[in-house]
Amino acid sequence: MHRSASRLTRLLACAAVPVILTVAGCSSDSGKDSGSGGDKKPGASSSAKPSGKASATLEKAAFATLSDPCKSIQTATVDTLVPEAKDKNGTATKSNDLTTRASCSWNGLDEDGLKGSQYRWLSISLVRYDSHASLGSANKRAEEQFNKQVETAKAAEGAHDVKVEQAGGIGDQASSVVYGVKKDVDFFNTTIVARTQNVVITLDYNGAAYEGAGAPDQAKLLENAIAAAKETVASIGTANQQQKQPEQQASPSAQ
């Protein structure tokens, strides 16, 4: 009897081993599942992991200011585009924030006696955009405005024979819109819309002939407008570089 009892004890002990291993294995699996979303309490990992994607950081605007539009082109350029300008310094339009929106215009009547007179008018408008969480990046906003300005120029009141072309070599993108307008005389208009980073430039240039003078050369008007637009783009880069220099001088030198 003693021998049978001992044998029975050993059999029960061996039979219990798989049960213990099984329980241990379930505990181990349970531990793994708790870290990967298995058998876990509701909301247990909500504080450990963000539920939504982090919002993308918007790029910083390339240009923080505008150039003075009345000084964005050289005096010699003004003389070429608007001979006998009433004010070579231009007439600035009032603005509440000249770092965001500014414009300037020139006009003049070049009289040539019996050969008649040539009238010229030039306007340069600048608009700068910043990145905005709900509106998008500065460059994207400027690109949208660029497209709107091209469409506006194409739909000018009284415009006829409208011709739109890409204008290469002016900022990041540019288009020329050439058309005629019939008033008391024929006006020949050229609009250059250009974008350099987060700034949109709209340059309007038109001419008309009076008292028997020959009509303005449209090709020459376009050529002059493109040259002025290129100067304006360059002036924006220069203005922002000049703004950075005082800031760099004021900051402590790196040791």
Side-chain angles (χ1 to χ4, degrees), residues 72-83 122 205 224 227-229 231:
S72 62
I73 57 176
Q74 301 175 15
T75 301
T77 303
V78 174
D79 290 338
T80 298
L81 272 67
V82 190
L122 170 67
Y205 182 46
N224 288 341
E231 286 188 27

Side-chain angles (χ1 to χ4, degrees), residues 67-110:
S67 56
D68 180 344
C70 291
K71 298 179 181 178
S72 62
I73 57 176
Q74 301 175 15
T75 301
T77 303
V78 174
D79 290 338
T80 298
L81 272 67
V82 190
E84 303 299 325
K86 291 181 180 179
D87 185 352
K88 291 185 179 183
N89 294 320
T91 302
T93 302
K94 292 182 180 180
S95 172
N96 293 328
D97 184 2
L98 292 174
T99 66
T100 301
R101 187 180 297 270
S103 61
C104 188
S105 63
W106 299 258
N107 69 85
L109 183 65
D110 184 12

Side-chain angles (χ1 to χ4, degrees), residues 45-58:
S45 64
S46 60
S47 60
K49 293 183 180 180
S51 58
K53 295 181 180 180
S55 58
T57 302
L58 291 175

Side-chain angles (χ1 to χ4, degrees), residues 2-16:
H2 177 72
R3 181 178 299 176
S4 298
S6 299
R7 184 180 179 185
L8 178 61
T9 301
R10 288 197 300 272
L11 288 172
L12 291 174
C14 291

Side-chain angles (χ1 to χ4, degrees), residues 152-189:
T152 298
K154 289 165 59 177
E157 184 178 357
H160 61 80
D161 299 324
V162 179
K163 184 177 181 181
V164 183
E165 293 183 341
Q166 290 187 347
I170 309 175
D172 295 300
Q173 59 182 144
S175 292
S176 65
V177 184
V178 177
Y179 57 93
V181 175
K182 181 68 175 179
K183 297 182 180 179
D184 53 337
V185 294
D186 287 323
F187 273 76
F188 297 91
N189 296 262

Side-chain angles (χ1 to χ4, degrees), residues 23-244:
V23 172
C26 290
S27 294
S28 175
D29 290 343
S30 175
K32 290 180 181 179
D33 288 345
S34 64
S36 60
D39 296 332
K40 58 184 179 181
K41 295 180 180 180
S45 64
S46 60
S47 60
K49 293 183 180 180
S51 58
K53 295 181 180 180
S55 58
T57 302
L58 291 175
E59 63 182 6
K60 183 179 179 181
F63 297 127
T65 191
L66 295 174
S67 56
D68 180 344
C70 291
K71 298 179 181 178
S72 62
I73 57 176
Q74 301 175 15
T75 301
T77 303
V78 174
D79 290 338
T80 298
L81 272 67
V82 190
E84 303 299 325
K86 291 181 180 179
D87 185 352
K88 291 185 179 183
N89 294 320
T91 302
T93 302
K94 292 182 180 180
S95 172
N96 293 328
D97 184 2
L98 292 174
T99 66
T100 301
R101 187 180 297 270
S103 61
C104 188
S105 63
W106 299 258
N107 69 85
L109 183 65
D110 184 12
E111 299 177 308
D112 194 12
L114 296 176
K115 294 182 180 180
S117 304
Q118 290 286 346
Y119 174 80
R120 295 291 184 272
W121 182 81
L122 170 67
S123 173
I124 297 175
S125 297
L126 311 175
V127 183
R128 186 184 66 83
Y129 291 89
D130 284 314
S131 294
H132 192 283
S134 62
L135 299 176
S137 70
N139 281 15
K140 178 184 177 182
R141 296 178 66 197
E143 187 172 354
E144 291 172 350
Q145 180 62 19
F146 168 86
N147 292 328
K148 289 179 181 178
Q149 287 297 101
V150 172
E151 292 303 313
T152 298
K154 289 165 59 177
E157 184 178 357
H160 61 80
D161 299 324
V162 179
K163 184 177 181 181
V164 183
E165 293 183 341
Q166 290 187 347
I170 309 175
D172 295 300
Q173 59 182 144
S175 292
S176 65
V177 184
V178 177
Y179 57 93
V181 175
K182 181 68 175 179
K183 297 182 180 179
D184 53 337
V185 294
D186 287 323
F187 273 76
F188 297 91
N189 296 262
T190 298
T191 298
I192 304 294
V193 182
R195 179 181 69 84
T196 175
Q197 299 280 10
N198 57 310
V199 175
V200 177
I201 300 158
T202 304
L203 186 148
D204 291 307
Y205 182 46
N206 65 57
Y210 288 91
E211 300 170 350
D217 184 336
Q218 285 184 296
K220 190 63 177 178
L221 291 176
L222 176 59
E223 179 184 331
N224 288 341
I226 288 175
K230 289 180 178 180
E231 286 188 27
T232 303
V233 168
S235 75
I236 293 169
T238 300
N240 281 270
Q241 187 60 37
Q242 290 174 343
Q243 185 188 50
K244 289 180 181 179

